[in-house]
Each structure stands twice: as C-alpha cells, then as structure tokens.
Amino acid sequence: MPHRTVLAAFAAGALLASAACGSGFDDDSADTPQRSGPVSLQILIGSSGQAETTAVQEAAAKWASSSGNTATVTPAQDLTQQLGQAFAGDSPPDVFYVDAVRLADYASVGALEPYGDKISNPDDFYESLRTAFTYDGKLYCAPKDFSTLALVVNTDLWSKAGLTEADVPTTWDQLTSVSQKIKSSGTVPLALGDTRDRIGAFMVQAGGWITSADGKTATADSPENLQALQYVQGLLKNKYAQYPKALDAGWAGEAFGKGKAAMTIEGNWIKGALRADFPNVKYTVHPLPAGPKGQGTLSFTTCWGVAAKSKNKDAAVNFVEAMTTAEQQMTFAKAFGVMPSRQSAGAQFTQQYPDDKAFIDGAGYAQGPVNAPKMDSVLADFDTGLQGLANGDPKALLGRVQKNTESALGR
Amino acid sequence: MRTRSESLAGWLFVAPVVLILGVFLLLPILMALWVSLTGWNGQGSPFRSGVPFVGADNYTSLFTEDGLPRQDFMTSIRNNVYYVLLVVPAQTALALGLALVVNQRMLKRKGFFRTAFYFPSVTSSVAISVVFLFVFANSGAVNALLGAVGIDGPVWFDDSRGLIHVLLGTVGVDNPPGALANHSVLGLTWWDWVSGPSVAMCAIIVLVVWTTSGTFMLMFLAALQAIPQQVEEASLIDGANRWQRLRFVTIPMIRPTMFLVLTLGLISTWQVFDQIYVMSQGNPAKTTLTPAFLSYRTAFKDFEYGRGAAISFVLFLIIVVMTLVQRWMLRERRS
C-alpha cells in the first residue's frame, strides 16, 4: 500500500508539473518584445528611509505626468532577495537600484540591459563611478549617486587631547602619532569598521587592491596589501583603532556619536545619522590620511539598472535620463543627503555643502567595489579574517583571499 | 474483503490531501532536487532547455573539492554539531525538570507557573532574538550581572573563540599543537574541528534552550499526567526513593514522549535559521554559520542556487540519519 501511495503522489506531481510549467518556461529569446504607447513603469528601490522613498516617488510622478506614462515606485524590504526572485520568475521590475557590488553578478548572467550608450553625456559621470558600472567593456547603467569614506573628527575630544586643527593627520605616520596622543588623553583614538569596506581604504592608500583594475586577475597577496594590513594590525594591537563591537556599537558611526572614539572612518551617510541620533556631537570632515602610494579612499555607489527582460526599455531609459540630470540629482542631494554622480553638479554641491568637500573630492582618487561575479562569499570570508586581524597573520589571510579569488574568477 | 469500488472511494477521499501534499510538498522538493543538479543562475525558469546540467558537481564541491564552498560548509556542520550537542540535552533536561516541578501536587498557583514557563514558546522568535541582543550586549544585563560578581564578561556577539579553545587556554594551551594544526580533514584542521561552540554561539544556545523548553515542558506534562496514580503508589509501597521513582518508573513510562521531544529537538536544532538570521548572520568569524543559513546565503546572496539546494538536501539527509540513529538507540530492549 505505501508503494502505491507514493506512486500516486508522484503521478499527481508530474501531471501538475507539466501543466504548470507548460507556459512561459521556455522563452529563451534574447529580445523581449517591446510595448508601444503610454506604459506603466515598475520601479523597485532599496531605500535608505522615508526621505528617499518620498523624493523618488515625487520625481517619478513628475516624470510620469510630463511623459504621459505612469510610474510606480516600490521600496524593497530586501532588494537583493526580491530581485533574485523577480529574475527567477521572469517578471523583473523595469527599473531598479543596482549596488556596484552586485553589478558583475547581474551583468554576467544577462539580467541587465547595457543602456550606457543611450544616456546623454555619460562622460559627465565621475570616472571611478563609470568604472564601477562597466562590465566586459560596456557601461551597463547610470550611477545614481555615490558616497566615499573620509576621516571624521570629534572636535571636543580632539581639543581635549590637546590637538588643534593643524594636527589633523594627512599621512599614516601622523595618524599613528595623533592616535598616541589621543590614547594618552584617555579616549579611544579611532573607531574603525571591521570590514573590507573600511580597511580596504588602507589597501588603496598603499597602492594595492583585491583584483586588478579590469577585475580579471586576483592581486590580493601583493606586498602593498600586506603593508596596509600590517599597518592596520599595528593600530589595532596598540588599541589606536578599535572595532565598533568592542565599543558596544553596531557600527563605527554609532561609537563615534556616543563619544567613545575621537575619530572614525565613515562615509557621508554619517551626517544624517549623527543629526538624527546624536545632534550635539561637533565634528569636522577631512580627507583620509595618505599612505605610501598617496591618497586613497573607497567609493560606494548605486545605479539605475534596467532589466534585460523589461517590456518598456525605451521608457525605462527615458526615466533614468530624467533621474540623473544634474538638477534632479541636486534635488535628491537636498532631500536625503547623497552626492550627485555628475561632475557638472559637483561645483554646485560643494558650494551648498562646503563641509562635505572631503567626501566629494574623494571621487578623484576613490576605488570602487570589487567588480567581478561570484565574489560575495570570497569577500565575506575576507571580512571574517579581518575581524580577527588583531591576532591574525595578515600574510596568511591575504594568501587565502588570493586563493579563493583565483578560483572564483577562474570559473 | 475490499472491493474495487471501496478502494476507488478510498482514493477519492484521500485525493484532496494527496493533491495538496503533492503540489505544495512533493513537487517543490522534486523541483529543488532538480535545481541542486544544475548550474541554474536564477534567470528565468530552471526548467528551460538552456540551463546547464552539472550532475553531482554541486555535491562534490561540498565534500571533495578543496575550496571556499567546502570550507564554509564544513564550518557550518561543525558549528551545528556543537549546537545540537548542547541544545538537545539541555532543553530536554530543562523541559523535564520544569514539567516535574509544575506537576507537583504540593505546588500552589500551578497555572501561573505553567503559563510563565510556556510564555517564551508562544512569543515570536524574532522578537525574542532582538531582546537577547540587548541582554547580551556589552553593557547589557548579562554582563552587568557578571560584573556585579567581579567577572569581566565577554563581548558576546563579537567573540569567535571556541569554548574548548578557551578552556585549553586556561590550562596554558594557547597555540594549537602541531599535530592538530597541521592535519586537516575535509578542509578544516583538527584544531578547528575541536574548537567547541564560540562564545557568540553560546549566547544563541542559551536563547534557544530558554525558548523551546516551554513547548517540550507541555509535552512532558501531558505525559506525566497520563501516568496512573497506582503505579506511583505501588513504587512507594515497594520503598523506592525519589530518584529511583524518577529513574525506574517515571522515565520509562514517558518513553514515547521522550522520543518525540528528542526527535523534534534534533530536527529543529539542525534547521536553526531565524535566530542566526536575526542575531548574527553567521558572524563572528563564521562561528554561528549553520547549514540552513549557509544554504540561504549561497542561493540568494551568491546566486549559486544549485549549491544552495544541494546544501539543503545534505541537511535533510543528516536529519533523517540522526533520527534513525536515535530511534534505534531508544528502541524497546527485550531483556
């Protein structure tokens, strides 16, 4: 009897499978038929908060009424997962945010429409941002905005340690010496995030990075990277730098806001966070100290991706065009504190927000995220190693990253 | 004797259930099994013609190929083994203890205690996890308590040291002996295998034991109340003391419930996901990575849907084997 039950269940399952899978499961065609006339555009955003959602919704409504289309903006709960499901179900939104970290993953499987040549004046975007969204020689999407890392200094703790404006470190050596002074005044000198997204800046300053510029070769075990990690290890061992968790904070900005550290290395999002949670903290923003190979920082950026399977590609590109004008980008900057990705908006931005000069100037020497597919677990493993950097062996760590990167890139 | 029509009627009656189970249980499982044999990249349906069939590659990458996937998978297995070894006995013992306490005839206000002990089980695991994050924070209640008795509590969710490593450290073994550090099995050195659960994992273990023991207490309580009064009285007349009554009367009488509790405990501990997702995401240093969470991360973060599905099938096999082993160990022995 059990045998027959199983058999029957299998038969029922197979029957349903063939019925359910009969439609829509075999469209291999590269070109999705395009709709004409007024269209309804679906836009999925990974919003930083209500301010961003409202600003994008207003901009989309403006575009819709001027172009005669409709546009629906949906903020995602978990953008990566929702997009993954939408791609698997063959019903992706027309336009969506793509984090630079994810670009190669999406582009390599053909999920993105490379519309970079259709957008007007692409050279106006900062070069480091264009590089971040270029895969296999094609500019896939237009950068929405960007952030860079800078050195944020708590002015009260700074003067408490007997330091002045002139003491703000511009080199690694100076960073070490001011840290010494701050530590002897009884304050933790530097709150430093324990991931590649912060410590990686030191690697860039030493002239290294995890992959080559074209993202095709692993360069993790270079002497430059080793020098950088050894320097950071020195900071950690001397307690000149501490990870946020050791300071009882979720991230370095929180530790900084609570006054537990005199300096931190964070991006321009820290402004909004400090204003909201720690409005009384006084601080100034400076470029990161230069390493042996000069200045270096990391950039984080998101672009407006257009789905390769979208039925409204022309309208989608037209929408992105409207979202990335210098004027619209300044509106976004005012609404939720991001930096415009177009250089033509840069001057206006600096004029309006002079305190953010260090952040926006970073675009000139910033390194974008690793631009290669299948790297997420490799980089997560690197982060794991960095969490234990204080007592770890930097050379062995880089060797492991090198090995894993090679096998990820080789596939 | 059954007739043909009776048998047909029987099938008709069970048809709705067979259909529902087939569509929502069996079919997805078969689909996942297929995905685990492909290199599907998450674009369109996995049943198209263009999806590459890779055979057992996703499975071999977990067991035989030296690389990050195997290392991650074996780390997750190690973590989960320690987790199961600590959680299952602890929650069973605690649940039985609580059930014995609230089953006492002498106890006043039984209803209050039963509700209180059961309360963690009916609360959302996500909500409890978030509360525990605060309780175990650096300046949280646990460390404040430890501080009151002069112990400098650890940074719970940032402490990747294994418990066994810590214990060895107290007797002076800080660096791994060469024999353990230089030999590896399945991508992890022996030193890594014997690390024990990390401090962060211990916090999660405490949480899970606390939340689940209420449910199991209820099951034990039901079983205890089904034990006939006469049996207990007979053992009293025979002069059995308290411990002997528990060991030779009560526990044998509730053996089926014990089996149920242990089985449910084994299954749920191998599947632990919510707490990891909310509290640690596998950090620090991958010491709270579990196969269930790794499967999710591999599929939805790395777009390796095939390998993610393969991990979940291996996990399924582990659970089946563990349950069979435990069934065999708890079998009725003929003396």
Side-chain angles (χ1 to χ4, degrees):
Chain A
M1 195 56 199
H3 286 289
R4 288 223 307 216
T5 317
V6 171
L7 207 72
F10 265 91
L15 204 74
L16 275 150
S18 54
C21 308
S23 64
F25 268 18
D26 47 3
D27 57 338
D28 245 341
S29 55
D31 288 316
T32 316
Q34 297 293 300
R35 287 203 192 102
S36 54
V39 297
S40 151
L41 218 54
Q42 296 295 325
I43 299 133
L44 186 69
I45 64 170
S47 178
S48 61
Q50 194 55 45
E52 178 164 3
T53 309
T54 314
V56 177
Q57 274 165 345
E58 276 169 10
K62 210 170 92 189
W63 171 82
S65 64
S66 71
S67 68
N69 298 307
T70 54
T72 317
V73 177
T74 317
Q77 298 295 327
D78 184 336
L79 185 67
T80 312
Q81 193 187 329
Q82 273 171 263
L83 273 181
Q85 282 167 355
F87 287 137
D90 260 352
S91 57
D94 301 291
V95 182
F96 44 87
Y97 283 11
V98 177
D99 193 304
V101 179
R102 289 258 149 230
L103 179 88
D105 282 324
Y106 291 135
S108 66
V109 295
L112 288 183
E113 175 75 10
Y115 67 87
D117 51 345
K118 291 184 194 148
I119 209 90
S120 63
N121 198 7
D123 291 343
D124 187 26
F125 295 114
Y126 288 98
E127 200 200 334
S128 58
L129 306 183
R130 269 182 287 137
T131 316
F133 294 115
T134 301
Y135 182 75
D136 266 351
K138 274 188 275 190
L139 178 62
Y140 266 80
C141 50
K144 180 172 81 78
D145 46 43
F146 75 107
S147 316
T148 59
L149 297 178
L151 186 72
V152 188
V153 170
N154 182 323
T155 39
D156 290 342
L157 293 173
W158 196 252
S159 45
K160 197 183 122 199
L163 296 164
T164 64
E165 185 79 11
D167 292 316
V168 172
T170 56
T171 64
W172 284 6
D173 290 340
Q174 290 176 11
L175 179 63
T176 315
S177 62
V178 295
S179 296
Q180 208 171 357
K181 282 183 194 146
I182 297 169
K183 197 185 165 204
S184 56
S185 79
T187 309
V188 174
L190 177 68
L192 180 65
D194 57 358
T195 71
R196 63 187 184 272
D197 290 337
R198 303 291 178 278
I199 297 172
F202 289 92
M203 289 161 60
V204 177
Q205 288 151 16
W209 189 235
I210 300 162
T211 57
S212 61
D214 62 359
K216 300 240 188 285
T217 328
T219 56
D221 61 355
S222 67
E224 288 87 2
N225 287 339
L226 182 63
Q227 188 185 12
L229 290 200
Q230 279 167 342
Y231 176 71
V232 176
Q233 189 177 38
L235 291 180
L236 291 167
K237 276 192 169 155
N238 289 317
K239 302 257 175 189
Y240 292 162
Q242 292 220 16
Y243 287 153
K245 277 201 187 131
L247 300 170
D248 225 356
W251 62 296
E254 189 187 341
F256 180 82
K258 285 177 177 167
K260 291 190 173 169
M263 297 181 282
T264 187
I265 293 177
E266 281 295 338
N268 36 321
W269 51 80
I270 196 173
K271 281 191 309 171
L274 289 177
R275 192 168 48 226
D277 298 337
F278 309 100
N280 298 325
V281 173
K282 288 195 209 57
Y283 64 94
T284 51
V285 180
H286 309 273
L288 291 181
K293 293 281 164 64
Q295 283 192 298
T297 185
L298 300 179
S299 70
F300 307 93
T301 173
T302 306
C303 78
W304 295 97
V306 171
K309 292 243 169 84
S310 165
K311 294 190 172 65
N312 315 308
K313 284 179 200 165
D314 285 343
V317 174
N318 188 267
F319 173 79
V320 175
E321 181 75 52
M323 292 302 115
T324 52
T325 59
E327 188 194 352
Q328 180 62 49
Q329 291 202 327
M330 275 312 292
T331 313
F332 285 152
K334 276 173 215 157
F336 51 96
V338 292
M339 296 197 293
S341 57
R342 282 194 183 270
Q343 295 178 49
S344 54
Q348 201 189 342
F349 183 85
T350 321
Q351 194 185 8
Q352 202 139 18
Y353 303 100
D355 295 345
D356 288 2
K357 196 171 180 317
F359 287 123
I360 201 148
D361 285 352
Y365 47 86
Q367 164 73 51
V370 172
N371 189 350
K374 309 275 182 202
M375 282 293 286
D376 200 55
S377 60
V378 175
L379 296 172
D381 185 66
F382 184 32
D383 282 352
T384 300
L386 290 175
Q387 286 166 15
L389 180 64
N391 304 311
D393 174 8
K395 203 172 165 60
L397 171 60
L398 289 171
R400 197 168 85 205
V401 178
Q402 176 77 11
K403 189 182 106 186
N404 293 334
T405 310
E406 277 169 0
S407 79
L409 296 180
R411 262 180 285 164
Chain B
M1 283 304 286
R2 277 188 320 181
T3 61
R4 257 185 87 83
S5 65
E6 268 182 349
S7 149
L8 187 71
W11 276 110
L12 268 177
F13 276 117
V14 295
V17 176
V18 169
L19 215 66
I20 289 171
L21 286 185
V23 173
F24 292 107
L25 210 68
L26 193 71
L27 188 60
I29 290 175
L30 292 177
M31 286 165 123
L33 184 64
W34 166 253
V35 169
S36 81
L37 300 174
T38 65
W40 181 50
N41 60 14
Q43 300 303 303
S45 152
F47 304 101
R48 280 174 305 140
S49 53
V51 172
F53 182 79
V54 298
D57 276 11
N58 288 322
Y59 292 90
T60 53
S61 73
L62 299 178
F63 288 99
T64 55
E65 281 166 36
D66 185 28
L68 196 56
R70 181 173 78 166
Q71 194 192 329
D72 280 352
F73 180 65
M74 289 303 159
T75 308
S76 74
I77 293 283
R78 175 201 68 185
N79 297 338
N80 218 334
V81 166
Y82 286 117
Y83 176 81
V84 171
L85 282 180
L86 286 179
V87 169
V88 173
Q91 75 188 12
T92 310
L94 183 62
L96 183 59
L98 290 178
L100 288 170
V101 168
V102 296
N103 194 38
Q104 298 255 331
R105 249 160 290 138
M106 325 285 276
L107 187 73
K108 294 231 167 59
R109 307 195 49 200
K110 269 185 217 164
F112 169 76
F113 284 108
R114 287 176 189 178
T115 315
F117 292 147
Y118 190 57
F119 207 72
S121 304
V122 290
T123 314
S124 134
S125 65
V126 172
I128 291 188
S129 301
V130 173
V131 170
F132 262 64
L133 277 180
F134 289 109
V135 172
F136 278 95
N138 232 359
S139 49
V142 172
N143 276 2
L145 265 174
L146 288 175
V149 292
I151 303 171
D152 198 7
V155 188
W156 289 92
F157 287 104
D158 195 26
D159 201 330
S160 60
R161 291 171 304 158
L163 220 54
I164 296 178
H165 283 181
V166 173
L167 287 179
L168 287 174
T170 57
V171 295
V173 189
D174 273 328
N175 289 313
L180 290 180
N182 299 332
H183 295 85
S184 61
V185 172
L186 294 168
L188 288 191
T189 63
W190 282 105
W191 179 247
D192 283 334
W193 279 111
V194 300
S195 66
S198 70
V199 174
M201 187 58 116
C202 290
I204 296 181
I205 287 173
V206 170
L207 169 137
V208 171
V209 169
W210 182 69
T211 43
T212 50
S213 52
T215 316
F216 294 142
M217 173 200 77
L218 212 62
M219 293 178 188
F220 278 130
L221 190 60
L224 288 175
Q225 289 179 346
I227 297 177
Q229 192 99 40
Q230 296 89 318
V231 178
E232 211 167 308
E233 283 165 3
S235 65
L236 277 174
I237 291 169
D238 286 344
N241 63 24
R242 204 177 269 264
W243 165 249
Q244 283 169 328
R245 273 206 322 266
L246 177 69
R247 171 72 187 78
F248 296 107
V249 178
T250 313
I251 290 184
M253 293 291 285
I254 59 168
R255 182 195 289 273
T257 307
M258 189 68 97
F259 176 72
L260 176 74
V261 166
L262 286 174
T263 308
L264 289 179
L266 263 183
I267 292 175
S268 67
T269 46
W270 274 105
Q271 287 178 336
V272 56
F273 180 84
D274 318 9
Q275 289 86 358
I276 307 289
Y277 182 82
V278 175
M279 297 172 87
S280 66
Q281 301 265 330
N283 291 327
K286 295 185 186 171
T287 55
T288 59
L289 197 65
T290 61
F293 184 74
L294 182 68
S295 164
Y296 163 80
R297 207 188 71 181
T298 311
F300 289 102
K301 291 268 150 77
D302 299 354
F303 297 115
E304 299 271 10
Y305 289 89
R307 195 185 300 140
I311 292 173
S312 60
F313 273 95
V314 175
L315 183 60
F316 170 69
L317 278 182
I318 291 175
I319 293 174
V320 169
V321 169
M322 288 288 162
T323 311
L324 288 178
V325 167
Q326 179 229 344
R327 207 189 145 99
W328 176 77
M329 279 165 63
L330 278 183
R331 73 195 183 283
E332 296 274 351
R333 289 188 189 81
R334 292 200 195 92
S335 52

